[in-house]
Amino acid sequence: QVTVVGIVRHAEKAPTNILYKVDDMTAAPMDVRQWVDTDEAGSENIVVPPGTYVKVAGHLRSFQNKKSLVAFKIMPLENMNEFTTHILETVNAHMILRKNLMLASRAPQSFTSAGISDVGGYGGGSLPVNGLTAHQSQVLNLIKNCHSPEGMSLQELKLQLHNVSIPTIKQAVEFLSSEGHIYSTVDDDHYKSTDAD
Amino acid sequence: MGDVHEAPRPRIAAAQLAQYIGRPVCFVGRVEKIHPTGKLVVLSDGGGCNATVELSEPLDEEISGVLEVVGRVTNQATIMCMSYVQFREDKSPFDLELYNEALKIIHEFPEYFPFG
């Protein structure tokens, strides 16, 4: 699971998915596929125009030595400083990966996409590790442990975290969502975790 | 000319132009001056150094703010522009000095930010 920040060079809309080509200057534009749920009204139906900088969270796939991304979240960048941050996060991610390769005895599950360290062409991968506050971690863990198809609702979160205010929960949810840890399901009040259990 | 986008384009600062002559690069800078012909634009990077960008077609509109230019470095250490993108600053200003710091880091640790 990775995050890539780049500029949309091309967008092609198909009945079930949208194929973008996202370019972050480190290599040729990369295929990013976003599946569209035809029943779900909302942001998936809006195609991001070429020339826009976006942040994509998704799963890295390799097919015949060509890499592509299956995106579950594509967000146009509102603040270009996020892009500078992403460059720094990428460097940080490489450092963490290398350090962990050396401490091979401890291997946290979020490092399963080992393709990042030998991905010569894509400096744009960043890892969602150690960046969470206590509240965000709590919210994420609760959502991860929820196995119902429609996910965890904000009301459920509030019930479980009775000492945390609704605005704090909402902020945590928004952050986790923008980092690609969770995604909304039936509506904006229900979320599921992107990490497979 | 569009093939430049198929190759890796290192991000550089104005001071590094001389080292990348003949190669495609990506340069981010703030518009300082536009030549009356509209074919030359001077951009300043986060370190205060200037770079001259040559456009294949003259600009048809007043451009300002931060630009990201993709192009090839000429023998005179200017950039022959293939394409450019204007950075959005409507929501918040772009911190060019911070970007310059990030550039320093990625060049200091190329093993952590591979290009191609």
Side-chain angles (χ1 to χ4, degrees):
Chain A
Q1 186 179 310
V2 295
T3 329
V4 175
V5 168
I7 190 164
V8 174
R9 293 282 181 211
H10 189 70
E12 220 172 87
K13 199 171 159 105
T16 54
N17 66 68
I18 306 176
L19 177 63
Y20 294 103
K21 292 219 183 278
V22 177
D23 181 1
D24 76 344
M25 310 297 172
T26 64
M30 173 181 201
D31 282 346
V32 173
R33 202 171 291 272
Q34 183 185 27
W35 294 103
V36 174
D37 190 345
T38 46
D39 295 336
E40 205 177 300
S43 51
E44 274 80 57
N45 289 340
I46 299 171
V47 177
V48 176
T52 320
Y53 255 96
V54 291
K55 182 181 220 181
V56 182
H59 287 111
L60 196 58
R61 298 253 174 279
S62 192
F63 183 67
Q64 293 171 346
N65 216 32
K66 186 177 132 101
K67 293 188 170 68
S68 69
L69 204 55
V70 174
F72 41 76
K73 188 124 198 157
I74 297 187
M75 274 177 359
L77 285 188
E78 301 274 294
N79 182 345
M80 286 310 295
N81 292 315
E82 243 189 277
F83 150 74
T84 309
T85 311
H86 178 78
I87 293 178
L88 296 169
E89 275 173 356
T90 312
V91 172
N92 195 31
H94 275 275
M95 287 171 68
I96 294 177
L97 264 176
R98 261 155 236 270
K99 196 164 70 131
N100 279 346
L101 281 177
M102 294 195 281
L103 310 167
S105 49
R106 255 182 10 107
Q109 54 166 183
S110 30
F111 291 89
T112 48
S113 33
I116 294 177
S117 55
D118 55 81
V119 168
Y122 297 103
S126 98
L127 292 169
V129 166
N130 292 336
L132 303 182
T133 65
H135 284 144
Q136 288 159 356
S137 292
Q138 278 177 306
V139 169
L140 182 60
N141 283 329
L142 282 172
I143 296 179
K144 262 192 195 176
N145 290 324
C146 172
H147 295 294
S148 62
E150 72 275 3
M152 185 88 158
S153 71
L154 284 182
Q155 285 73 28
E156 260 296 306
L157 283 172
K158 172 80 181 104
L159 280 176
Q160 304 257 1
L161 299 167
H162 32 251
N163 56 332
V164 182
S165 65
I166 287 256
T168 310
I169 297 181
K170 279 199 170 168
Q171 265 175 24
V173 162
E174 260 184 56
F175 174 81
L176 292 169
S177 175
S178 75
E179 290 292 311
H181 294 291
I182 62 177
Y183 59 96
S184 59
T185 56
V186 290
D187 61 25
D188 281 342
D189 284 341
H190 288 80
Y191 291 87
K192 272 180 84 78
S193 160
T194 51
D195 287 331
D197 249 358
Chain B
M1 292 280 229
D3 61 343
V4 151
H5 293 295
E6 297 296 315
R9 282 134 289 159
R11 295 180 168 279
I12 61 169
Q16 297 161 305
L17 280 172
Q19 296 153 330
Y20 286 83
I21 290 184
R23 289 169 57 178
V25 296
C26 176
F27 182 82
V28 175
R30 200 172 286 281
V31 175
E32 293 292 328
K33 262 202 306 273
I34 303 179
H35 196 264
T37 59
K39 291 196 76 169
L40 285 180
V41 181
V42 177
L43 299 178
S44 66
D45 70 2
C49 301
N50 285 355
T52 307
V53 175
E54 279 178 55
L55 303 166
S56 39
E57 281 124 29
L59 281 176
D60 52 2
E61 39 162 20
E62 264 300 307
I63 205 162
S64 65
V66 179
L67 286 192
E68 182 182 65
V69 171
V70 172
R72 211 177 278 275
V73 183
T74 66
N75 291 341
Q76 294 87 37
T78 66
I79 302 177
M80 187 69 210
C81 170
M82 311 283 181
S83 71
Y84 66 85
V85 171
Q86 218 171 340
F87 273 14
R88 286 179 68 162
E89 289 188 288
D90 51 341
K91 300 272 168 92
S92 23
F94 180 65
D95 191 338
L96 200 55
E97 286 75 34
L98 183 65
Y99 174 77
N100 214 57
E101 291 294 315
L103 276 191
K104 285 192 197 143
I105 294 177
I106 62 183
H107 283 280
E108 202 178 314
F109 299 102
E111 67 270 24
Y112 295 136
F113 199 84
F115 280 107

